[in-house]
C-alpha cells in the first residue's frame, strides 16, 4: 500500500508543465474533487476497490479502510455470506485488522473510510473502539446509523464522539450499490 507521503511525492513528480514551460507546482493538499483533501480521496478509492471485491464475491459491495498516521492498518469488505458470520461487515473486519496491527483495542488515532454509511452495529463498534474520524461515501437510507436513521457515532449521549465526513466519492459509492442490486433484480 502506498502511504500518503509516497502518493503526494508521485503526484508532484507527474505534474504537468506550466504556461511558462517550467514544471507546474504540485497541487496543494486538495484532490480533484473540490473541497476534499487528497488523502480522503486516496483512501476512499482503496475502500471502493475493496467494495468491488465484495461485489465480485457476491457480497453487498461495501469496503472499508482503517488508516493511522497516513498508513493503512486495516482493510475489510463485506463478507457475512462467505464467512457465515452476520458481523462480518467491512467496517468490523477493518477494525479487527487495525486492532491486531496496532496491538490495541482503542483506535484513537484511526480514521475509518467506508463506502457506505455504517449500520448501528458498525457505528457502535466505531464508538467502542474510540475511532477518531469516520469518512463515508454514500448514505444508507434504510440502515444508516450515522446520519440517515440514527446519529450514533457523534451522539452526545455517548462517552465518545467521532468526527464525521460524508459524501467523499459519494456518487461512485452509490452507483456501485445501485448497479449491484440492479443486476440481481
Amino acid at each position: 500500500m502506498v502511504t500518503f507521503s509516497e502518493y503526494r511525492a508521485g503526484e508532484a513528480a507527474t505534474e504537468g508543465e506550466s504556461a511558462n514551460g517550467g514544471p507546474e507546482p504540485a497541487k496543494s493538499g486538495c484532490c480533484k474533487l473540490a473541497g476534499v483533501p487528497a488523502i480522503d480521496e486516496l483512501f476512499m478509492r482503496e475502500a471502493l476497490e475493496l467494495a468491488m471485491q465484495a461485489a465480485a464475491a457476491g457480497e453487498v459491495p461495501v469496503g472499508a479502510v482503517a488508516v493511522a498516521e497516513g498508513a493503512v492498518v486495516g482493510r475489510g469488505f463485506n463478507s457475512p455470506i462467505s464467512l457465515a458470520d452476520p458481523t462480518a461487515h467491512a467496517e468490523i473486519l477493518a477494525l479487527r485488522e487495525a486492532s491486531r496491527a496496532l496491538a490495541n483495542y482503542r483506535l484513537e488515532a484511526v480514521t475509518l473510510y467506508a463506502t457506505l454509511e455504517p449500520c448501528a452495529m458498525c457505528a457502535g463498534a466505531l464508538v467502542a473502539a474510540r475511532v477518531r474520524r469516520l469518512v463515508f461515501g454514500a448514505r444508507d437510507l434504510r440502515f444508516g446509523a450515522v446520519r440517515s436513521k440514527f446519529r450514533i457515532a457523534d451522539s452526545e449521549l455517548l462517552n465518545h464522539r467521532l468526527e464525521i465526513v460524508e459524501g467523499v466519492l459519494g456518487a461512485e459509492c452509490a452507483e456501485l450499490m445501485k448497479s449491484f442490486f440492479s443486476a440481481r433484480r
Side-chain angles (χ1 to χ4, degrees):
M1 170 60 205
V2 175
T3 66
F4 182 65
S5 343
E6 293 166 334
Y7 169 78
R8 292 295 292 158
E11 183 181 79
T14 60
E15 293 294 327
E17 290 189 357
S18 67
N20 66 10
E24 186 177 288
K27 295 175 181 77
S28 65
C30 194
C31 64
K32 297 173 187 106
L33 300 172
V36 176
I39 193 166
D40 287 349
E41 182 183 355
L42 172 71
F43 291 122
M44 187 60 77
R45 288 210 181 278
E46 183 162 347
L48 262 169
E49 289 175 22
L50 290 165
M52 288 181 223
Q53 289 179 35
E59 302 275 3
V60 174
V62 179
V65 177
V67 175
E69 298 178 16
V72 174
V73 292
R75 294 177 179 84
F77 60 82
N78 267 11
S79 303
I81 298 167
S82 62
L83 295 178
D85 178 356
T87 69
H89 289 197
E91 302 93 330
I92 299 294
L93 297 175
L95 290 175
R96 287 176 183 164
E97 192 173 292
S99 292
R100 284 190 299 273
L102 299 173
N104 199 335
Y105 73 102
R106 295 260 171 107
L107 303 174
E108 297 170 329
V110 167
T111 295
L112 186 91
Y113 294 86
T115 56
L116 188 66
E117 176 183 7
C119 69
M121 173 184 68
C122 294
L126 292 169
V127 171
R130 309 291 198 280
V131 169
R132 182 177 63 83
R133 187 167 174 258
L134 167 67
V135 179
F136 71 89
R139 282 195 177 195
D140 182 348
L141 300 178
R142 290 186 59 201
F143 300 107
V146 174
R147 289 290 179 259
S148 298
K149 294 292 183 190
F150 307 102
R151 296 181 72 97
I152 293 173
D154 60 353
S155 171
E156 292 187 16
L157 300 173
L158 300 175
N159 63 335
H160 177 74
R161 287 176 283 291
L162 284 73
E163 175 188 337
I164 298 167
V165 177
E166 69 172 287
V168 175
L169 301 180
E172 292 177 48
C173 295
E175 182 55 38
L176 181 58
M177 293 291 286
K178 181 180 173 185
S179 61
F180 176 81
F181 286 109
S182 291
R184 277 153 183 69
R185 291 188 179 124

